[in-house]
Amino acid sequence: MKRARSPLRGYVTTLCIWALIDVGLWEPLAAGSSISLLEFTEEKKLHAPTLRSVCRYLSRLKYLV
C-alpha cells in the first residue's frame, strides 16, 4: 500500500487540477487572485462543499496559496 500512495496522490491531484481548469477556476487561483468560492459556485451552479474540498486538498499540497 505504501508504494501505491505516491502514484495515487499524483492521479488524484491531476484530476483535481483538471476539474478546476474545466470550471475556469485554476488560472485565477494559481495566479494568487482572491476569489469568493461561494460566489463562484453560485455563478457556475456548482456544489460548494465539493469545490471547497478540492481547493483545500490542492492547498495542502502547496499547489494553491
Side-chain angles (χ1 to χ4, degrees), residues 1-14:
M1 183 65 182
K2 287 183 181 181
R3 290 186 352 203
R5 285 183 187 161
S6 183
L8 286 173
R9 185 177 295 122
Y11 177 74
V12 171
T13 300
T14 301

Side-chain angles (χ1 to χ4, degrees), residues 22-40:
D22 284 346
V23 298
L25 189 58
W26 176 255
E27 287 184 23
L29 288 178
S33 297
S34 179
I35 295 176
S36 167
L37 286 181
L38 184 58
E39 289 177 15
F40 186 84

Side-chain angles (χ1 to χ4, degrees), residues 4-60:
R5 285 183 187 161
S6 183
L8 286 173
R9 185 177 295 122
Y11 177 74
V12 171
T13 300
T14 301
L15 291 178
C16 289
I17 291 171
W18 284 348
L20 294 186
I21 290 170
D22 284 346
V23 298
L25 189 58
W26 176 255
E27 287 184 23
L29 288 178
S33 297
S34 179
I35 295 176
S36 167
L37 286 181
L38 184 58
E39 289 177 15
F40 186 84
T41 56
E42 288 175 356
E43 176 186 321
K44 301 283 186 173
K45 302 201 184 329
L46 301 171
H47 188 248
T50 302
L51 185 60
R52 189 176 324 110
S53 294
V54 169
C55 291
R56 191 174 297 144
Y57 173 77
L58 292 173
S59 180
R60 279 191 218 131

